């Protein structure tokens, strides 16, 4: 006999959320291990003693976490999703008949709290991972990702005030050029962050990757522990910054996060984009061993020239000396070596060696010893192994953040809010790692349970409560 379901709403009913959320549900497990009570004390200074009550700070942060865990970080989507899910209501502590906060409340509260509050929350989750023995902190893999800003390229406008005098002078010269050079200059200005900015999000920057269209972005930098795949630091930077310019700041924050839990960074692995004099000096200053391939401009040896370290000079294959003459500032301070024009005047290799110049010039960075040391390290079997470790560690994590944890686009405006969003995305990733580790612990304890008649479900619940 065919059955037909008839539905009529009940005026009164007895309903308890906990009875309808399975014990192995993700948000139920997360509720058991995530304690955010410290947030009340941290945010107390943002409120007065009178007036209308605000949203519960713990509920606020839980709702934001839900946005990234569900890969829907927009405030409207967060509230819409929470209103339809029993497990999420149970997680945030709202019964079926309770009205959820307005989406605008999330936006205002996000702006109210400083970055320190979000950073404290990230550190709390990281601390839980460390207490579980999930990471050693010894080796960190660092990489970056462009994250789309909440601004359209149509919002790009010319800057009204030009602070760069050199740029202003160049513009005056361009007024006297022919039409073709002007067209080239206008094409340059079209994608120049010095000349143009977004009217809706001035902190965003035009940036692109090979084969991709230019868009307004932020630059996300993250440090990942290679032993556990746990994110130890994540931060937003302006997208026109080079990776090498961000390395010291990333190391500073990651080191602080780990040192608070008595861990220390000993090794850093990164790609070629992080190679620069400043980056290598930062590693040396912190006594950290780096594994960063040198850029393509680095030359371990000068073809047809031999360096004489005792006299600080180069010797060509004709036996002539190219002596140290001083320093110059060209993309950083460099040492300049020059030959005598008389030595080169009748050299049989003059045309190939000098071109149209009258004397040979060789320039070296002051940090060349650091680049030489890095080159030797990267040529070793361990150095090549480190590159494999980097690719298998930080790159998949970036892919997960972008595709599944809401970091494909920043839905706020301004670099401070972008940083808060990235901290939340990184924290969600670590929470999932923590839950997975906890589940493995539970399975291990179940296997060791002496009384085999104990139900797995009961043991699962007991262990979650005790943890």
């Amino acid at each position: 006999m065919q059955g037909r379901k008839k539905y009529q709403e009940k005026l009164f009913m007895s309903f308890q959320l906990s009875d309808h959320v399975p014990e192995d549900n993700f948000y139920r497990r997360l509720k058991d291990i995530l304690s955010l009570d410290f947030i009340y004390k941290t945010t107390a200074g943002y409120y007065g003693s009178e007036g209308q009550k605000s949203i519960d700070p713990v509920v606020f942060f839980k709702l934001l976490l839900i946005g990234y865990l569900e890969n829907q970080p927009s405030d409207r989507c967060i509230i819409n999703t929470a209103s339809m899910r029993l497990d999420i209501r149970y997680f945030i502590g709202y019964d079926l008949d309770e009205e959820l906060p307005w989406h605008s409340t999330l936006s205002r509260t996000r702006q109210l709290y400083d970055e320190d509050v979000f950073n404290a929350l990230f550190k709390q989750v990281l601390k839980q991972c460390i207490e579980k023995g999930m990471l050693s902190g010894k080796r960190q893999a660092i990489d970056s990702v462009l994250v789309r800003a909440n601004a359209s390229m149509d919002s790009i406008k010319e800057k009204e005030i030009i602070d760069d005098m050199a740029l202003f002078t160049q513009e005056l010269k361009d007024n006297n050029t022919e039409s073709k050079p002007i067209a080239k200059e206008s094409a340059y200005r079209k994608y120049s962050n010095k000349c143009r900015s977004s009217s809706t999000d001035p902190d965003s920057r035009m940036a692109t990757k090979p084969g991709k269209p230019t868009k307004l972005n932020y630059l996300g930098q993250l440090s990942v522990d290679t032993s556990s795949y746990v994110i130890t630091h994540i931060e937003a930077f302006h997208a026109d910054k080079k990776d090498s310019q961000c390395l010291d700041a990333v190391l500073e924050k990651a080191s602080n996060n780990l040192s608070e839990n008595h861990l220390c960074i000993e090794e850093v692995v990164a790609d070629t984009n992080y190679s620069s004099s400043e980056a290598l000096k930062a590693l040396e200053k912190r006594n950290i061993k780096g594994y960063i391939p040198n850029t393509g401009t680095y030359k371990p040896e000068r073809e047809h020239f031999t360096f004489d370290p005792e006299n600080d000079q180069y010797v060509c294959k004709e036996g002539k000396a190219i002596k140290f003459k001083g320093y110059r500032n060209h993309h950083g301070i460099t040492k300049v070596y020059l030959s005598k024009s008389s030595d080169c005047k009748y050299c049989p290799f003059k045309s190939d060696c000098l071109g149209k110049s009258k004397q040979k010039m060789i320039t070296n960075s002051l940090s060349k010893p650091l680049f030489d040391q890095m080159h030797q390290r990267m040529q070793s079997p361990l150095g090549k192994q480190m590159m494999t470790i980097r690719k298998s560690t930080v790159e998949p994590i970036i892919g997960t953040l972008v595709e599944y944890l809401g970091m494909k686009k920043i839905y706020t405006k301004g670099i401070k809010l972008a940083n808060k969003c990235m901290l939340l995305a990184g924290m969600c990733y670590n929470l999932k790692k923590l839950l997975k580790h906890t589940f493995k612990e539970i399975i291990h304890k179940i296997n060791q349970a002496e009384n085999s008649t104990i139900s797995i479900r009961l043991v699962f619940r007991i262990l979650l409560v005790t943890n």
Side-chain angles (χ1 to χ4, degrees), residues 108-137:
R108 291 196 301 269
T109 309
R110 187 190 289 108
Q111 295 179 56
L112 173 66
Y113 296 154
D114 291 334
E115 293 176 64
D116 292 342
V117 180
F118 290 78
N119 200 37
L121 193 58
F122 177 85
K123 288 182 178 180
Q124 177 66 20
V125 175
L126 179 62
K127 181 180 178 182
Q128 285 185 261
C129 294
I130 293 173
E131 288 175 347
K132 289 284 186 180
M134 293 173 58
L135 63 158
S136 65

PDB file of all heavy atoms in Angstrom, residues 108-137:
ATOM      1  N   ARG A 108      29.484  44.946  11.945  1.00  0.00           N
ATOM      2  CA  ARG A 108      29.846  46.010  12.901  1.00  0.00           C
ATOM      3  C   ARG A 108      30.771  45.484  13.984  1.00  0.00           C
ATOM      4  O   ARG A 108      31.731  46.163  14.382  1.00  0.00           O
ATOM      5  CB  ARG A 108      28.578  46.599  13.528  1.00  0.00           C
ATOM      6  CG  ARG A 108      27.731  47.410  12.564  1.00  0.00           C
ATOM      7  CD  ARG A 108      26.728  48.263  13.336  1.00  0.00           C
ATOM      8  NE  ARG A 108      25.856  47.431  14.161  1.00  0.00           N
ATOM      9  CZ  ARG A 108      24.695  46.940  13.757  1.00  0.00           C
ATOM     10  NH1 ARG A 108      24.273  47.178  12.519  1.00  0.00           N
ATOM     11  NH2 ARG A 108      23.946  46.219  14.567  1.00  0.00           N
ATOM     12  N   THR A 109      30.520  44.272  14.470  1.00  0.00           N
ATOM     13  CA  THR A 109      31.343  43.716  15.543  1.00  0.00           C
ATOM     14  C   THR A 109      32.733  43.363  15.031  1.00  0.00           C
ATOM     15  O   THR A 109      33.725  43.527  15.755  1.00  0.00           O
ATOM     16  CB  THR A 109      30.669  42.463  16.141  1.00  0.00           C
ATOM     17  OG1 THR A 109      29.315  42.767  16.483  1.00  0.00           O
ATOM     18  CG2 THR A 109      31.404  42.002  17.389  1.00  0.00           C
ATOM     19  N   ARG A 110      32.832  42.901  13.795  1.00  0.00           N
ATOM     20  CA  ARG A 110      34.147  42.607  13.199  1.00  0.00           C
ATOM     21  C   ARG A 110      35.013  43.868  13.149  1.00  0.00           C
ATOM     22  O   ARG A 110      36.209  43.825  13.381  1.00  0.00           O
ATOM     23  CB  ARG A 110      33.964  42.029  11.801  1.00  0.00           C
ATOM     24  CG  ARG A 110      35.277  41.542  11.186  1.00  0.00           C
ATOM     25  CD  ARG A 110      35.124  41.210   9.713  1.00  0.00           C
ATOM     26  NE  ARG A 110      34.333  40.004   9.493  1.00  0.00           N
ATOM     27  CZ  ARG A 110      33.107  40.005   9.002  1.00  0.00           C
ATOM     28  NH1 ARG A 110      32.522  41.159   8.688  1.00  0.00           N
ATOM     29  NH2 ARG A 110      32.452  38.882   8.812  1.00  0.00           N
ATOM     30  N   GLN A 111      34.395  44.992  12.853  1.00  0.00           N
ATOM     31  CA  GLN A 111      35.123  46.247  12.812  1.00  0.00           C
ATOM     32  C   GLN A 111      35.449  46.759  14.210  1.00  0.00           C
ATOM     33  O   GLN A 111      36.443  47.462  14.405  1.00  0.00           O
ATOM     34  CB  GLN A 111      34.306  47.296  12.056  1.00  0.00           C
ATOM     35  CG  GLN A 111      34.094  46.957  10.581  1.00  0.00           C
ATOM     36  CD  GLN A 111      33.257  47.997   9.875  1.00  0.00           C
ATOM     37  OE1 GLN A 111      33.589  49.173   9.876  1.00  0.00           O
ATOM     38  NE2 GLN A 111      32.167  47.573   9.255  1.00  0.00           N
ATOM     39  N   LEU A 112      34.609  46.411  15.182  1.00  0.00           N
ATOM     40  CA  LEU A 112      34.807  46.875  16.555  1.00  0.00           C
ATOM     41  C   LEU A 112      36.059  46.285  17.189  1.00  0.00           C
ATOM     42  O   LEU A 112      36.868  47.011  17.785  1.00  0.00           O
ATOM     43  CB  LEU A 112      33.573  46.515  17.397  1.00  0.00           C
ATOM     44  CG  LEU A 112      33.669  46.782  18.903  1.00  0.00           C
ATOM     45  CD1 LEU A 112      33.762  48.278  19.181  1.00  0.00           C
ATOM     46  CD2 LEU A 112      32.483  46.166  19.629  1.00  0.00           C
ATOM     47  N   TYR A 113      36.254  44.996  17.049  1.00  0.00           N
ATOM     48  CA  TYR A 113      37.376  44.329  17.709  1.00  0.00           C
ATOM     49  C   TYR A 113      38.675  44.571  16.940  1.00  0.00           C
ATOM     50  O   TYR A 113      38.708  44.524  15.709  1.00  0.00           O
ATOM     51  CB  TYR A 113      37.138  42.818  17.799  1.00  0.00           C
ATOM     52  CG  TYR A 113      35.959  42.418  18.659  1.00  0.00           C
ATOM     53  CD1 TYR A 113      35.290  41.220  18.426  1.00  0.00           C
ATOM     54  CD2 TYR A 113      35.513  43.222  19.700  1.00  0.00           C
ATOM     55  CE1 TYR A 113      34.204  40.835  19.209  1.00  0.00           C
ATOM     56  CE2 TYR A 113      34.440  42.847  20.479  1.00  0.00           C
ATOM     57  CZ  TYR A 113      33.782  41.660  20.230  1.00  0.00           C
ATOM     58  OH  TYR A 113      32.719  41.297  21.007  1.00  0.00           O
ATOM     59  N   ASP A 114      39.747  44.801  17.707  1.00  0.00           N
ATOM     60  CA  ASP A 114      41.066  44.970  17.093  1.00  0.00           C
ATOM     61  C   ASP A 114      41.604  43.630  16.587  1.00  0.00           C
ATOM     62  O   ASP A 114      41.101  42.556  16.947  1.00  0.00           O
ATOM     63  CB  ASP A 114      42.052  45.563  18.105  1.00  0.00           C
ATOM     64  CG  ASP A 114      41.723  47.012  18.435  1.00  0.00           C
ATOM     65  OD1 ASP A 114      41.108  47.680  17.588  1.00  0.00           O
ATOM     66  OD2 ASP A 114      42.072  47.469  19.545  1.00  0.00           O
ATOM     67  N   GLU A 115      42.674  43.715  15.790  1.00  0.00           N
ATOM     68  CA  GLU A 115      43.305  42.509  15.267  1.00  0.00           C
ATOM     69  C   GLU A 115      43.852  41.632  16.385  1.00  0.00           C
ATOM     70  O   GLU A 115      43.944  40.413  16.228  1.00  0.00           O
ATOM     71  CB  GLU A 115      44.443  42.893  14.313  1.00  0.00           C
ATOM     72  CG  GLU A 115      43.984  43.554  13.033  1.00  0.00           C
ATOM     73  CD  GLU A 115      45.149  44.000  12.172  1.00  0.00           C
ATOM     74  OE1 GLU A 115      45.913  43.138  11.713  1.00  0.00           O
ATOM     75  OE2 GLU A 115      45.308  45.219  11.984  1.00  0.00           O
ATOM     76  N   ASP A 116      44.220  42.249  17.514  1.00  0.00           N
ATOM     77  CA  ASP A 116      44.787  41.488  18.632  1.00  0.00           C
ATOM     78  C   ASP A 116      43.815  40.433  19.145  1.00  0.00           C
ATOM     79  O   ASP A 116      44.229  39.358  19.598  1.00  0.00           O
ATOM     80  CB  ASP A 116      45.180  42.430  19.779  1.00  0.00           C
ATOM     81  CG  ASP A 116      46.356  43.327  19.421  1.00  0.00           C
ATOM     82  OD1 ASP A 116      47.065  42.981  18.448  1.00  0.00           O
ATOM     83  OD2 ASP A 116      46.552  44.348  20.089  1.00  0.00           O
ATOM     84  N   VAL A 117      42.513  40.740  19.112  1.00  0.00           N
ATOM     85  CA  VAL A 117      41.511  39.782  19.588  1.00  0.00           C
ATOM     86  C   VAL A 117      41.476  38.558  18.664  1.00  0.00           C
ATOM     87  O   VAL A 117      41.450  37.411  19.118  1.00  0.00           O
ATOM     88  CB  VAL A 117      40.122  40.442  19.656  1.00  0.00           C
ATOM     89  CG1 VAL A 117      39.084  39.444  20.148  1.00  0.00           C
ATOM     90  CG2 VAL A 117      40.153  41.660  20.570  1.00  0.00           C
ATOM     91  N   PHE A 118      41.505  38.807  17.359  1.00  0.00           N
ATOM     92  CA  PHE A 118      41.502  37.700  16.397  1.00  0.00           C
ATOM     93  C   PHE A 118      42.804  36.906  16.484  1.00  0.00           C
ATOM     94  O   PHE A 118      42.791  35.678  16.367  1.00  0.00           O
ATOM     95  CB  PHE A 118      41.322  38.258  14.975  1.00  0.00           C
ATOM     96  CG  PHE A 118      39.956  38.802  14.706  1.00  0.00           C
ATOM     97  CD1 PHE A 118      39.577  40.054  15.167  1.00  0.00           C
ATOM     98  CD2 PHE A 118      39.036  38.053  13.986  1.00  0.00           C
ATOM     99  CE1 PHE A 118      38.313  40.558  14.919  1.00  0.00           C
ATOM    100  CE2 PHE A 118      37.767  38.558  13.720  1.00  0.00           C
ATOM    101  CZ  PHE A 118      37.399  39.813  14.196  1.00  0.00           C
ATOM    102  N   ASN A 119      43.890  37.613  16.708  1.00  0.00           N
ATOM    103  CA  ASN A 119      45.184  36.938  16.833  1.00  0.00           C
ATOM    104  C   ASN A 119      45.227  36.067  18.087  1.00  0.00           C
ATOM    105  O   ASN A 119      45.805  34.979  18.083  1.00  0.00           O
ATOM    106  CB  ASN A 119      46.305  37.976  16.871  1.00  0.00           C
ATOM    107  CG  ASN A 119      47.652  37.389  16.506  1.00  0.00           C
ATOM    108  OD1 ASN A 119      47.759  36.530  15.643  1.00  0.00           O
ATOM    109  ND2 ASN A 119      48.684  37.835  17.186  1.00  0.00           N
ATOM    110  N   ALA A 120      44.611  36.562  19.170  1.00  0.00           N
ATOM    111  CA  ALA A 120      44.564  35.781  20.411  1.00  0.00           C
ATOM    112  C   ALA A 120      43.779  34.488  20.211  1.00  0.00           C
ATOM    113  O   ALA A 120      44.135  33.430  20.748  1.00  0.00           O
ATOM    114  CB  ALA A 120      43.935  36.617  21.527  1.00  0.00           C
ATOM    115  N   LEU A 121      42.709  34.572  19.412  1.00  0.00           N
ATOM    116  CA  LEU A 121      41.910  33.381  19.122  1.00  0.00           C
ATOM    117  C   LEU A 121      42.712  32.382  18.294  1.00  0.00           C
ATOM    118  O   LEU A 121      42.673  31.165  18.546  1.00  0.00           O
ATOM    119  CB  LEU A 121      40.645  33.801  18.379  1.00  0.00           C
ATOM    120  CG  LEU A 121      39.533  32.763  18.249  1.00  0.00           C
ATOM    121  CD1 LEU A 121      39.070  32.283  19.611  1.00  0.00           C
ATOM    122  CD2 LEU A 121      38.357  33.355  17.475  1.00  0.00           C
ATOM    123  N   PHE A 122      43.446  32.892  17.304  1.00  0.00           N
ATOM    124  CA  PHE A 122      44.293  32.013  16.488  1.00  0.00           C
ATOM    125  C   PHE A 122      45.349  31.327  17.355  1.00  0.00           C
ATOM    126  O   PHE A 122      45.599  30.119  17.224  1.00  0.00           O
ATOM    127  CB  PHE A 122      44.977  32.845  15.396  1.00  0.00           C
ATOM    128  CG  PHE A 122      45.936  32.058  14.537  1.00  0.00           C
ATOM    129  CD1 PHE A 122      45.481  31.348  13.435  1.00  0.00           C
ATOM    130  CD2 PHE A 122      47.295  32.006  14.838  1.00  0.00           C
ATOM    131  CE1 PHE A 122      46.355  30.622  12.642  1.00  0.00           C
ATOM    132  CE2 PHE A 122      48.176  31.282  14.056  1.00  0.00           C
ATOM    133  CZ  PHE A 122      47.705  30.581  12.957  1.00  0.00           C
ATOM    134  N   LYS A 123      45.947  32.089  18.269  1.00  0.00           N
ATOM    135  CA  LYS A 123      46.979  31.524  19.146  1.00  0.00           C
ATOM    136  C   LYS A 123      46.410  30.471  20.079  1.00  0.00           C
ATOM    137  O   LYS A 123      47.093  29.498  20.424  1.00  0.00           O
ATOM    138  CB  LYS A 123      47.636  32.641  19.958  1.00  0.00           C
ATOM    139  CG  LYS A 123      48.542  33.554  19.155  1.00  0.00           C
ATOM    140  CD  LYS A 123      49.173  34.602  20.067  1.00  0.00           C
ATOM    141  CE  LYS A 123      50.124  35.507  19.313  1.00  0.00           C
ATOM    142  NZ  LYS A 123      50.740  36.527  20.205  1.00  0.00           N
ATOM    143  N   GLN A 124      45.166  30.664  20.510  1.00  0.00           N
ATOM    144  CA  GLN A 124      44.547  29.700  21.408  1.00  0.00           C
ATOM    145  C   GLN A 124      44.387  28.337  20.744  1.00  0.00           C
ATOM    146  O   GLN A 124      44.671  27.294  21.343  1.00  0.00           O
ATOM    147  CB  GLN A 124      43.184  30.235  21.873  1.00  0.00           C
ATOM    148  CG  GLN A 124      42.387  29.297  22.759  1.00  0.00           C
ATOM    149  CD  GLN A 124      43.046  29.051  24.102  1.00  0.00           C
ATOM    150  OE1 GLN A 124      43.891  29.824  24.541  1.00  0.00           O
ATOM    151  NE2 GLN A 124      42.662  27.958  24.759  1.00  0.00           N
ATOM    152  N   VAL A 125      43.944  28.349  19.480  1.00  0.00           N
ATOM    153  CA  VAL A 125      43.802  27.092  18.744  1.00  0.00           C
ATOM    154  C   VAL A 125      45.170  26.476  18.479  1.00  0.00           C
ATOM    155  O   VAL A 125      45.358  25.257  18.605  1.00  0.00           O
ATOM    156  CB  VAL A 125      43.045  27.325  17.422  1.00  0.00           C
ATOM    157  CG1 VAL A 125      42.989  26.048  16.589  1.00  0.00           C
ATOM    158  CG2 VAL A 125      41.637  27.832  17.698  1.00  0.00           C
ATOM    159  N   LEU A 126      46.153  27.323  18.122  1.00  0.00           N
ATOM    160  CA  LEU A 126      47.512  26.825  17.904  1.00  0.00           C
ATOM    161  C   LEU A 126      48.070  26.197  19.180  1.00  0.00           C
ATOM    162  O   LEU A 126      48.739  25.151  19.137  1.00  0.00           O
ATOM    163  CB  LEU A 126      48.414  27.970  17.441  1.00  0.00           C
ATOM    164  CG  LEU A 126      49.886  27.634  17.194  1.00  0.00           C
ATOM    165  CD1 LEU A 126      50.025  26.598  16.085  1.00  0.00           C
ATOM    166  CD2 LEU A 126      50.680  28.890  16.851  1.00  0.00           C
ATOM    167  N   LYS A 127      47.778  26.808  20.312  1.00  0.00           N
ATOM    168  CA  LYS A 127      48.240  26.276  21.601  1.00  0.00           C
ATOM    169  C   LYS A 127      47.646  24.889  21.860  1.00  0.00           C
ATOM    170  O   LYS A 127      48.340  23.982  22.349  1.00  0.00           O
ATOM    171  CB  LYS A 127      47.843  27.234  22.725  1.00  0.00           C
ATOM    172  CG  LYS A 127      48.298  26.791  24.103  1.00  0.00           C
ATOM    173  CD  LYS A 127      47.859  27.783  25.170  1.00  0.00           C
ATOM    174  CE  LYS A 127      48.278  27.320  26.556  1.00  0.00           C
ATOM    175  NZ  LYS A 127      47.821  28.260  27.609  1.00  0.00           N
ATOM    176  N   GLN A 128      46.377  24.710  21.530  1.00  0.00           N
ATOM    177  CA  GLN A 128      45.754  23.399  21.708  1.00  0.00           C
ATOM    178  C   GLN A 128      46.439  22.343  20.841  1.00  0.00           C
ATOM    179  O   GLN A 128      46.642  21.205  21.277  1.00  0.00           O
ATOM    180  CB  GLN A 128      44.265  23.467  21.361  1.00  0.00           C
ATOM    181  CG  GLN A 128      43.412  24.162  22.411  1.00  0.00           C
ATOM    182  CD  GLN A 128      41.941  24.095  22.076  1.00  0.00           C
ATOM    183  OE1 GLN A 128      41.351  25.035  21.551  1.00  0.00           O
ATOM    184  NE2 GLN A 128      41.315  22.974  22.371  1.00  0.00           N
ATOM    185  N   CYS A 129      46.795  22.724  19.620  1.00  0.00           N
ATOM    186  CA  CYS A 129      47.507  21.789  18.734  1.00  0.00           C
ATOM    187  C   CYS A 129      48.863  21.417  19.324  1.00  0.00           C
ATOM    188  O   CYS A 129      49.284  20.250  19.269  1.00  0.00           O
ATOM    189  CB  CYS A 129      47.692  22.413  17.347  1.00  0.00           C
ATOM    190  SG  CYS A 129      46.152  22.679  16.430  1.00  0.00           S
ATOM    191  N   ILE A 130      49.545  22.401  19.879  1.00  0.00           N
ATOM    192  CA  ILE A 130      50.869  22.149  20.472  1.00  0.00           C
ATOM    193  C   ILE A 130      50.745  21.264  21.700  1.00  0.00           C
ATOM    194  O   ILE A 130      51.543  20.345  21.911  1.00  0.00           O
ATOM    195  CB  ILE A 130      51.560  23.485  20.817  1.00  0.00           C
ATOM    196  CG1 ILE A 130      51.885  24.253  19.526  1.00  0.00           C
ATOM    197  CG2 ILE A 130      52.833  23.249  21.623  1.00  0.00           C
ATOM    198  CD1 ILE A 130      52.411  25.645  19.755  1.00  0.00           C
ATOM    199  N   GLU A 131      49.732  21.527  22.537  1.00  0.00           N
ATOM    200  CA  GLU A 131      49.532  20.721  23.746  1.00  0.00           C
ATOM    201  C   GLU A 131      49.197  19.268  23.414  1.00  0.00           C
ATOM    202  O   GLU A 131      49.457  18.370  24.215  1.00  0.00           O
ATOM    203  CB  GLU A 131      48.425  21.341  24.593  1.00  0.00           C
ATOM    204  CG  GLU A 131      48.849  22.649  25.267  1.00  0.00           C
ATOM    205  CD  GLU A 131      47.699  23.315  26.012  1.00  0.00           C
ATOM    206  OE1 GLU A 131      46.533  22.896  25.797  1.00  0.00           O
ATOM    207  OE2 GLU A 131      47.970  24.231  26.801  1.00  0.00           O
ATOM    208  N   LYS A 132      48.628  19.045  22.242  1.00  0.00           N
ATOM    209  CA  LYS A 132      48.337  17.677  21.796  1.00  0.00           C
ATOM    210  C   LYS A 132      49.577  16.994  21.216  1.00  0.00           C
ATOM    211  O   LYS A 132      49.517  15.826  20.823  1.00  0.00           O
ATOM    212  CB  LYS A 132      47.230  17.700  20.741  1.00  0.00           C
ATOM    213  CG  LYS A 132      45.850  18.032  21.284  1.00  0.00           C
ATOM    214  CD  LYS A 132      45.252  16.851  22.015  1.00  0.00           C
ATOM    215  CE  LYS A 132      43.826  17.127  22.419  1.00  0.00           C
ATOM    216  NZ  LYS A 132      43.220  15.979  23.143  1.00  0.00           N
ATOM    217  N   GLY A 133      50.692  17.736  21.140  1.00  0.00           N
ATOM    218  CA  GLY A 133      51.917  17.167  20.592  1.00  0.00           C
ATOM    219  C   GLY A 133      51.909  17.038  19.088  1.00  0.00           C
ATOM    220  O   GLY A 133      52.617  16.198  18.529  1.00  0.00           O
ATOM    221  N   MET A 134      51.129  17.898  18.420  1.00  0.00           N
ATOM    222  CA  MET A 134      50.977  17.764  16.980  1.00  0.00           C
ATOM    223  C   MET A 134      52.144  18.357  16.190  1.00  0.00           C
ATOM    224  O   MET A 134      52.343  18.003  15.036  1.00  0.00           O
ATOM    225  CB  MET A 134      49.662  18.436  16.530  1.00  0.00           C
ATOM    226  CG  MET A 134      48.416  17.739  17.034  1.00  0.00           C
ATOM    227  SD  MET A 134      46.896  18.655  16.676  1.00  0.00           S
ATOM    228  CE  MET A 134      46.963  18.784  14.895  1.00  0.00           C
ATOM    229  N   LEU A 135      52.868  19.294  16.764  1.00  0.00           N
ATOM    230  CA  LEU A 135      53.940  19.934  15.999  1.00  0.00           C
ATOM    231  C   LEU A 135      55.159  20.201  16.863  1.00  0.00           C
ATOM    232  O   LEU A 135      55.060  20.347  18.079  1.00  0.00           O
ATOM    233  CB  LEU A 135      53.465  21.245  15.361  1.00  0.00           C
ATOM    234  CG  LEU A 135      53.018  22.389  16.270  1.00  0.00           C
ATOM    235  CD1 LEU A 135      53.124  23.704  15.530  1.00  0.00           C
ATOM    236  CD2 LEU A 135      51.568  22.205  16.720  1.00  0.00           C
ATOM    237  N   SER A 136      56.311  20.248  16.186  1.00  0.00           N
ATOM    238  CA  SER A 136      57.569  20.515  16.873  1.00  0.00           C
ATOM    239  C   SER A 136      58.019  21.958  16.696  1.00  0.00           C
ATOM    240  O   SER A 136      58.754  22.486  17.514  1.00  0.00           O
ATOM    241  CB  SER A 136      58.662  19.582  16.333  1.00  0.00           C
ATOM    242  OG  SER A 136      58.928  19.864  14.963  1.00  0.00           O
ATOM    243  N   GLY A 137      57.585  22.595  15.601  1.00  0.00           N
ATOM    244  CA  GLY A 137      57.969  23.983  15.341  1.00  0.00           C
ATOM    245  C   GLY A 137      59.345  24.145  14.750  1.00  0.00           C
ATOM    246  O   GLY A 137      59.737  25.252  14.371  1.00  0.00           O
TER     247      GLY A 137
END
